[in-house]
């Protein structure tokens, strides 16, 4: 009788542990405070310097492919603007980069609908390390009077780094990101030698100050460096939410 009781207790314990693991949820890694202070930005639009690689000059997507299969990028180019085409998924650069300075401009449409993460969601994967959303995401989102978890707002390194301020402009206005990316370095045996670091200016305001990333972005669970990689494309996100698609322009990069 006693052994039956012990066996039952062991089984219950196993069941409980499995149940706890199954319950890992996206909400577990959301942080809602502190809310970054709102800052009104100045003018931050800038042309590419002479040694930059222009990734999008308003004319074509020659530097881009579909992330899913490497075919020519199918997002929409019109009037010098690149607009996300959600039916085709993420696009990424043909070229691969290690350490770089990146400038890009993005705009949430003036008629944006939705709330929270479903309101003008896109993203810049600072290194694309696989299909879909594999990589290190700098969040793009309407963050003008749009409440969400602060480690998921514009200027956040998604679910890792809360922006130091919120200089977001209104939907319909162009915004800028200037990023300094230092890729992770791995030892010959695949172990991590040094983690990735990102510095981000959002509309000219420092929002990430040489932040040390804990690994590639994870929607659920904790990030870790478990997949060594070398130079990688920069990827733009076609997010699955139902809100109106974002646009990009003036994208350039300088390798360091
Ligand atoms: Mg996103």
């Amino acid at each position: 009788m006693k052994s039956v009781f012990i066996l039952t207790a062991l089984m219950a314990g196993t069941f409980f542990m499995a149940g706890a693991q199954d319950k890992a949820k996206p909400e577990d890694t959301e942080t809602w405070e502190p809310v970054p202070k709102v800052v009104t930005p100045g003018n931050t639009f800038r042309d590419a310097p002479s040694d930059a690689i222009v990734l999008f000059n308003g004319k074509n997507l020659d530097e881009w492919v579909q992330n899913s299969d490497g075919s020519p990028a199918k997002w929409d180019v019109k009037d010098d603007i690149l607009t996300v085409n959600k039916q085709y998924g993420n696009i990424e650069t043909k070229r691969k980069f290690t350490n770089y300075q990146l400038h890009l401009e993005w705009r949430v449409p003036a008629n944006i609908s939705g709330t929270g993460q479903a309101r003008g969601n896109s993203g810049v994967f600072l290194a694309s390390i696989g299909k879909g959303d594999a990589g290190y995401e700098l969040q793009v989102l309407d963050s003008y009077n749009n409440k969400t978890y602060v480690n998921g707002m514009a200027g956040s390194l998604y679910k890792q780094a809360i922006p130091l301020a919120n200089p977001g402009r209104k939907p319909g206005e162009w915004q800028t990101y200037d990023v300094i990316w230092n890729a992770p370095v791995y030892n010959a045996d695949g172990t991590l030698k040094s983690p990735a670091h990102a510095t981000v200016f959002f509309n000219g305001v420092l929002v990430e100050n040489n932040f040390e990333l804990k690994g590639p972005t994870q929607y659920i669970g904790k990030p870790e460096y478990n997949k060594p990689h070398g130079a990688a494309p920069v990827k733009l996100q076609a997010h699955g939410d139902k809100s109106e698609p974002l646009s990009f322009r003036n994208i350039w990069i300088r390798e360091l």
Side-chain angles (χ1 to χ4, degrees), residues 117 121-125 133 137-141 158 237 239:
Q117 292 288 308
N121 195 329
S122 181
V124 183
F125 291 90
D133 290 347
E137 184 180 6
L138 167 60
Q139 177 69 302
V140 171
L141 186 75
Y158 187 74
Q237 185 183 49
H239 191 266

Side-chain angles (χ1 to χ4, degrees), residues 2 27 34 53 60 82-83 98 113-114 134 159 164 244 252:
K2 192 177 177 187
E27 292 80 3
I53 297 167
N60 58 61
L82 169 62
T83 299
T98 304
S113 61
K159 288 195 167 176
L164 300 171
E244 296 70 16
W252 52 261

Side-chain angles (χ1 to χ4, degrees), residues 182-185 192-197 212-215 225:
N182 285 292
V185 180
L192 184 70
K193 186 172 182 185
S194 62
H197 289 78
E212 179 181 309
L213 285 98
K214 297 177 185 67
Y225 290 98

Side-chain angles (χ1 to χ4, degrees), residues 58-115:
K59 301 307 172 200
N60 58 61
L61 286 172
D62 290 357
E63 291 283 343
W64 299 83
V65 293
Q66 291 297 134
N67 161 258
S68 58
D69 61 4
S71 65
K74 297 176 184 69
W75 287 10
D76 304 317
V77 178
K78 191 183 170 194
D79 298 334
D80 295 336
I81 293 165
L82 169 62
T83 299
V84 179
N85 190 323
K86 294 193 184 190
Q87 68 170 310
Y88 293 117
N90 299 347
I91 65 170
E92 66 185 25
T93 57
K94 289 179 183 171
R95 298 179 201 245
K96 295 180 176 180
F97 305 97
T98 304
N99 306 325
Y100 61 76
Q101 171 190 353
L102 172 71
H103 174 91
L104 64 80
E105 301 176 11
W106 54 274
R107 184 181 65 184
V108 173
N111 65 341
I112 193 71
S113 61
T115 58

